[in-house]
């Protein structure tokens, strides 16, 4: 299956989010990635359920909501009601991860777990059979436009192996510093969904940038099948 692209609206013009979503979709975006930050788990504040609700009115593709917040259990139902299709929590912020994942699914959303760069893949070993997606953070979460951490490629491979041992085909998402220079290597390592903020919305033409990122990522698939 071709790699999927999820533009992150974090780098978009917040005064024109509808336009941002539409241009990404014209470029072939498969999902819209929404970064929720609470100023505690990460040193930044962004958006919450009202913005997810507004995006839901304009987006044709699913909304992947990435919670970078402490005690995410308090807000699962609110994000479900706002229209999140997938909801990811951080393993570092979720002491009862098994219960949290079950609660997300019970609300009708796909349940994801995200790992900070310094968190070992083994942190999710016991829930490897329960996750619908895993987000491998390739920057320390909190801000767009940071530099990709090269070690993340190995982390993606380790995550792929862990999920394979659990017999779980859940897609691996990579988030942070993703662009045309690392997309193919990420896909070759086992990434199925690439999140990109600045590589898409800090460009003059987000539609073309979405297409270009997919083309760069697909180079890995083409090479493999050749
Ligand atoms: C980082 C966020 C990312 C961010 C990625 O904390 O989780 O989703 O938007 O932005 P870029 O692609 O610019 O690194
Ligand atoms: Zn994110």
């Amino acid at each position: 299956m071709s790699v999927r692209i999820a533009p992150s609206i974090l780098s978009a013009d917040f005064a024109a989010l509808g336009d941002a979503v539409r241009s990404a979709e014209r470029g072939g975006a498969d999902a819209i990635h929404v970064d929720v930050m609470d100023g505690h788990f990460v040193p930044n504040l962004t958006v919450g359920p009202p913005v997810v609700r507004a995006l839901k009115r304009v987006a044709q593709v699913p909304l992947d909501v990435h919670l970078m917040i402490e005690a995410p259990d308090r807000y699962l139902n609110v994000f479900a009601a706002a229209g999140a299709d997938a909801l990811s929590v951080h393993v570092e912020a979720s002491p009862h991860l098994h219960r949290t994942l079950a609660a997300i699914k019970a609300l009708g959303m796909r349940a994801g777990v995200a790992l900070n760069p310094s968190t070992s893949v083994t942190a999710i070993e016991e829930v490897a059979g329960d996750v619908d997606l895993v987000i491998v953070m390739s920057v320390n979460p909190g801000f767009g436009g940071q530099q990709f951490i090269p070690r993340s490629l190995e982390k993606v491979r380790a995550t792929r192996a862990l999920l394979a041992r659990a017999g779980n085909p859940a897609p691996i998402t990579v988030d942070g510093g993703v662009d045309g220079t690392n997309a193919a290597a990420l896909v070759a390592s086992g990434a199925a969904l690439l999140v990109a903020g600045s590589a898409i919305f800090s460009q003059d033409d987000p539609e073309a940038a979405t297409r270009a990122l997919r083309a760069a990522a697909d180079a890995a698939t083409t090479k493999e099948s050749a």
Side-chain angles (χ1 to χ4, degrees):
M1 203 179 75
S2 171
V3 64
R4 288 182 284 147
I5 307 290
S8 162
I9 52 110
L10 185 61
S11 300
D13 176 0
F14 274 27
L17 284 182
D19 293 342
V21 168
R22 281 184 285 269
S23 60
E25 287 180 341
R26 278 196 305 273
D30 299 282
I32 297 295
H33 184 91
V34 186
D35 288 305
V36 177
M37 305 187 189
D38 67 352
H40 291 274
F41 181 68
V42 290
N44 196 6
L45 284 163
T46 55
V47 299
V51 173
V52 173
R53 202 173 305 122
L55 288 168
K56 191 68 185 172
R57 288 205 309 270
V58 295
Q60 310 280 319
V61 297
L63 298 180
D64 284 4
V65 178
H66 176 193
L67 298 184
M68 286 158 276
I69 66 176
E70 282 175 5
D73 294 9
R74 295 174 293 171
Y75 297 107
L76 305 181
N77 55 351
V78 186
F79 280 102
D85 295 282
L87 194 64
S88 298
V89 298
H90 266 263
V91 58
E92 303 86 2
S94 309
H96 308 292
L97 186 56
H98 181 269
R99 183 165 64 201
T100 302
L101 293 170
I104 294 171
K105 289 183 195 178
L107 288 163
M109 299 175 287
R110 294 173 62 239
V113 60
L115 294 100
N116 281 339
S118 63
T119 301
S120 166
V121 164
T122 56
I124 58 164
E125 195 166 2
E126 300 302 327
V127 294
D130 303 309
V131 291
D132 292 323
L133 71 121
V134 176
I135 300 181
V136 173
M137 291 305 302
S138 40
V139 298
N140 290 290
F143 303 94
Q146 301 183 81
Q147 214 184 349
F148 180 80
I149 299 171
R151 160 106 190 128
S152 311
L153 289 167
E154 181 50 39
K155 183 93 163 273
V156 171
R157 280 192 285 273
T159 308
R160 186 77 280 151
L162 180 75
L163 291 172
R165 281 199 296 280
N168 186 352
I172 296 174
T173 297
V174 181
D175 185 5
V178 173
D179 62 20
T181 68
N182 49 37
L186 284 166
V187 173
S189 301
L193 203 151
L194 302 179
V195 174
S198 47
I200 289 177
F201 291 117
S202 301
Q203 311 303 313
D204 291 339
D205 184 346
E207 177 184 339
T210 305
R211 256 192 226 106
L213 185 61
R214 179 188 305 286
D218 277 348
T221 327
T222 320
K223 218 181 286 166
E224 261 171 30
S225 53

